[in-house]
């Protein structure tokens, strides 16, 4: 064994203590550490011939990199839809690395059994029928990709073709119907060879991002062949929900695969205030839900669910003889894209076990309360325009000035970022350059929402001269 490896093996406890100390410094600064920053490109170094030891590597990291980490896991990072990591989830994730299990086998380790237990928790959490099969994947993009892959296989079977064996070229082109699909849907369509141009955008309800059911039915009737329908359980701009129950009932009249993208909106099921939005979820053939968003576990962790386990096996079965019969040994490498799988279920198990349904319900409802309060402040302000009702945890708004461009919004948000107290990301809402505040961190409190509004106002007042001065006539909510 190399002397440095031998040394570090003997010093493992000391190495872990150094890592804990470094992590603790970061965690203790989460109230003041900048949630967004602009880091210059790194000057790349040459690969060292000789190493220095793990402790020395930690020290180098501490001196050169640690102070430049973005506090995206903190309470005032409102960009994208980003959670943090609860204390229990962090503990679970550290153990994932220490145990280094390949969570694919059924009985050779407790790891895949814990994944099955965690999936069972989630099915109860989201009110899913017991028939659903689920597994952990890297994120919502891969989960959406799996859902569309299964839908593609199913449509092939409607035409008497096995796409997993014969290929997608053996069937006629597949159409995907959706009103406001997330960008990962289009990415998945490109990867799968469905083609982005196969998306048929269905009209939304007036002043909504939710699908117009009548318009969807017209398109289904005109299709005259099986299609994929992607429904939203929480759009990223306004957390709008398609009527899942109404869409599901159309399956009695038309032949289509229903995929529900509930990446973060699925957590509406935890609260009696919002659970009605998930009504009809059990009509879904496949479902995406993300854990590293509103469950607040470390990246990467999402789940995919389907009512069609046998279809999933046809697509993902690993044919290596030494892996055995999947019916006798239902290992995850027969049902997911990966043959080697990180034990990414463990942080979710830890946080669900530590805080239960009640604890995670409190996070959801508190985040939604902060979002609603921020929305009310923006609605009443002279500087901002609320573009959509605050339905749950996302606030969509813009500057109340004529001629505002997307570049103006970016410049404004760069100034907000450089202030160092809060962070937001830009978006487009129905063609309007806008700002999205996504509040999904377990630590975020009302005071953080108030500070966010104060920073938005202060920065606007400081740079307003760079924008046009005529008020824009955008309908307020």
């Amino acid at each position: 064994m190399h002397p440095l490896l031998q040394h570090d093996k003997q010093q493992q406890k000391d190495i872990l203590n150094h890592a804990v100390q470094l992590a603790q410094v970061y965690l203790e600064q989460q109230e003041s550490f900048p949630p967004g920053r602009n880091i210059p490109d790194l000057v790349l170094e040459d690969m060292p011939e000789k190493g220095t030891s793990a402790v020395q590597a930690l020290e180098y990291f501490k001196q050169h990199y640690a102070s430049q980490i973005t506090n995206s896991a903190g309470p005032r990072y409102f960009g994208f839809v980003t959670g943090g990591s609860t204390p229990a989830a962090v503990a679970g994730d550290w153990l994932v690395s220490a145990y280094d299990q390949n969570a694919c086998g059924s009985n050779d380790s407790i790891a895949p059994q814990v994944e099955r237990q965690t999936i069972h928790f989630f099915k109860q959490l989201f009110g899913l029928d017991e028939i659903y099969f689920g597994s952990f994947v890297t994120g919502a993009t891969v989960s959406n990709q799996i859902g569309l892959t299964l839908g593609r296989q199913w449509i092939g079977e409607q035409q008497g073709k096995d796409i997993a064996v014969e290929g997608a070229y053996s069937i006629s082109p597949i159409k995907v119907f959706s009103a406001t699909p997330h960008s990962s849907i289009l990415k998945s369509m490109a990867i799968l060879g469905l083609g982005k141009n196969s998306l048929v955008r269905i009209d939304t309800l007036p002043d909504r991002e939710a699908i117009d059911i009548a318009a969807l039915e017209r398109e289904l009737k005109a299709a005259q062949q099986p299609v994929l329908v992607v429904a939203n359980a929480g759009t990223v701009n306004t957390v709008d929900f398609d009527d899942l129950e109404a869409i599901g009932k159309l399956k009695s009249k038309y032949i289509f695969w229903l995929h529900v993208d509930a990446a973060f909106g699925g957590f509406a099921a935890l609260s009696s205030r919002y659970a009605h939005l998930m009504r009809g979820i059990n009509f879904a053939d496949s479902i995406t839900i993300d854990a590293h968003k509103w469950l607040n576990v470390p990246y990467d962790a999402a789940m995919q669910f389907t009512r069609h386990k046998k279809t999933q096996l046809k697509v993902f079965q690993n044919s290596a003889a030494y892996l055995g019969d999947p019916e006798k040994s239902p290992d995850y490498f027969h049902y997911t894209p990966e043959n080697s799988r990180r034990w990414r279920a463990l942080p979710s198990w830890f946080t669900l076990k530590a805080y239960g349904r009640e604890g995670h319900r409190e996070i959801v409802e508190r985040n939604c309360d902060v979002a609603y309060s921020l929305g009310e402040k923006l609605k009443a302000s002279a500087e901002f325009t609320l573009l959509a009702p605050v339905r749950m945890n996302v606030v969509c708004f813009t500057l109340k000035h004529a001629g505002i461009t997307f570049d103006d919004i970016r410049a404004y948000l760069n100034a907000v970022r450089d202030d160092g107290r809060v962070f937001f990301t830009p978006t487009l809402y129905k063609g309007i350059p806008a700002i999205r505040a996504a509040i999904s961190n377990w630590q975020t409190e009302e005071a953080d929402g108030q500070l966010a509004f104060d920073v938005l106002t202060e920065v606007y007042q400081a740079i307003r001269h760079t924008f046009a001065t005529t008020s824009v006539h955008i309908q307020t909510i």
Side-chain angles (χ1 to χ4, degrees):
M1 183 181 291
H2 190 282
L4 282 175
L5 291 171
Q6 183 67 47
H7 173 270
D8 282 357
K9 183 178 181 180
Q10 296 169 353
Q11 300 298 317
Q12 185 77 71
K13 183 176 180 180
D14 189 41
I15 293 166
L16 292 176
N17 285 336
H18 274 76
V20 168
Q21 292 169 16
L22 189 57
Q24 194 63 37
V25 169
Y26 166 70
L27 294 172
E28 289 173 353
Q29 294 182 95
Q30 283 201 320
E31 289 297 320
S32 58
F33 215 52
R37 53 207 318 181
N38 183 27
I39 303 298
D41 288 343
L42 189 67
V43 177
L44 302 182
E45 301 176 352
D46 292 336
M47 173 69 193
E49 178 61 30
K50 293 184 179 296
T52 57
S53 81
V55 169
Q56 289 301 312
L58 280 164
E59 186 61 30
Y60 186 93
F61 179 88
K62 176 182 176 181
Q63 295 298 325
H64 293 85
Y65 302 146
S67 63
Q68 299 183 77
I69 293 292
T70 293
N71 191 19
S72 56
R76 291 184 294 278
Y77 186 94
F78 300 143
F80 308 104
V81 185
T82 301
S85 296
T86 63
V90 170
D93 199 63
W94 284 5
L95 289 176
V96 171
S97 295
Y99 290 136
D100 194 24
Q101 301 289 288
N102 185 2
C104 61
S106 292
N107 300 105
D108 57 350
S109 168
I110 195 63
Q113 306 296 342
V114 171
E115 179 163 347
R116 290 189 177 89
Q117 174 63 73
T118 310
I119 289 293
H120 179 67
F121 282 160
F122 278 126
K123 288 197 289 186
Q124 294 180 324
L125 203 67
F126 300 126
L128 300 182
D129 290 341
E130 189 56 37
I131 192 174
Y132 280 96
F133 171 78
S135 69
F136 274 79
V137 293
T138 58
T141 298
V142 171
S143 182
N144 279 329
Q145 186 179 333
I146 290 175
L148 295 186
T149 301
L150 301 183
R152 183 183 66 172
Q153 177 73 13
W154 177 84
I155 287 178
E157 291 172 357
Q158 308 310 300
Q159 301 180 23
K161 300 290 184 179
D162 185 343
I163 290 178
V165 175
E166 302 174 60
Y169 295 109
S170 63
I171 67 168
S172 56
I174 297 173
K175 294 294 184 182
V176 178
F177 291 178
S178 191
T180 315
H182 186 264
S183 60
S184 63
I185 295 296
L186 290 165
K187 185 174 185 177
S188 297
M189 291 171 66
I191 293 170
L192 294 173
L194 298 173
K196 296 179 181 179
N197 287 342
S198 295
L199 176 67
V200 178
R201 289 188 180 270
I202 310 299
D203 290 340
T204 61
L205 295 169
D207 300 319
R208 297 275 302 277
E209 290 187 304
I211 200 167
D212 184 323
I213 299 297
L216 173 62
E217 183 165 12
R218 286 194 296 271
E219 292 289 349
L220 288 170
K221 187 175 183 179
Q224 297 184 336
Q225 66 180 34
V227 300
L228 295 172
V229 174
V230 176
N232 284 305
T235 58
V236 293
N237 276 337
T238 66
V239 203
D240 210 349
F241 280 69
D242 291 335
D243 188 335
L244 304 180
E245 189 169 39
I247 296 173
K249 288 180 178 179
L250 291 175
K251 295 178 76 173
S252 65
K253 299 168 64 176
Y254 308 99
I255 302 175
F256 63 92
W257 178 278
L258 176 57
H259 175 71
V260 176
D261 185 352
F264 70 98
F267 288 90
L270 273 71
S271 170
S272 60
R273 300 187 207 169
Y274 308 109
H276 66 280
L277 298 170
M278 287 286 284
R279 192 177 299 130
I281 187 63
N282 284 296
F283 282 109
D285 294 289
S286 55
I287 303 167
T288 286
I289 299 181
D290 217 338
H292 56 235
K293 290 184 171 66
W294 226 347
L295 191 70
N296 281 260
V297 302
Y299 288 93
D300 51 26
M303 295 79 68
Q304 59 83 208
F305 297 92
T306 183
R307 302 180 70 89
H308 305 267
K309 184 179 180 181
K310 289 184 178 179
T311 301
Q312 190 157 339
L313 176 62
K314 289 178 183 178
V315 175
F316 294 106
Q317 181 175 356
N318 195 317
S319 58
Y322 62 85
L323 296 178
D325 182 352
E327 290 298 327
K328 296 179 180 178
S329 178
D331 299 330
Y332 282 111
F333 49 61
H334 287 303
Y335 294 92
T336 61
E338 305 158 307
N339 284 347
S340 300
R341 305 174 67 249
R342 191 174 191 269
W343 193 11
R344 58 178 61 92
L346 190 59
S348 292
W349 180 89
F350 262 91
T351 199
L352 291 172
K353 192 72 173 176
Y355 311 118
R357 188 192 302 266
E358 180 182 76
H360 286 281
R361 178 190 304 122
E362 190 276 333
I363 294 172
V364 167
E365 292 183 346
R366 172 160 43 88
N367 285 169
C368 292
D369 289 345
V370 174
Y372 179 79
S373 179
L374 176 59
E376 290 300 294
K377 293 179 176 68
L378 292 166
K379 188 193 300 186
S381 74
E383 295 84 5
F384 306 101
T385 296
L386 194 63
L387 295 175
V390 179
R391 297 184 174 91
M392 287 189 73
N393 66 319
V394 175
V395 188
C396 189
F397 62 102
T398 193
L399 297 172
K400 195 178 288 185
H401 266 92
I404 287 293
T405 67
F406 198 78
D407 286 342
D408 291 331
I409 293 291
R410 281 192 180 280
Y412 170 63
L413 291 182
N414 285 344
V416 170
R417 175 200 67 201
D418 293 343
D419 171 85
R421 290 179 285 174
V422 293
F423 181 79
F424 302 88
T425 43
T427 190
L428 276 174
Y429 177 72
K430 297 188 179 296
I432 301 171
I435 301 164
R436 183 178 63 222
I439 300 170
S440 45
N441 187 282
W442 67 279
Q443 300 178 84
T444 305
E445 304 276 3
E446 176 59 34
D448 299 302
Q450 179 64 56
L451 179 60
F453 178 74
D454 292 343
V455 171
L456 288 166
T457 304
E458 291 169 17
V459 172
Y460 172 78
Q461 295 294 345
I463 67 170
R464 63 182 302 171
H465 63 279
T466 64
F467 302 123
T469 57
T470 306
S471 294
V472 64
H473 297 291
I474 299 174
Q475 183 179 1
T476 56
I477 302 302

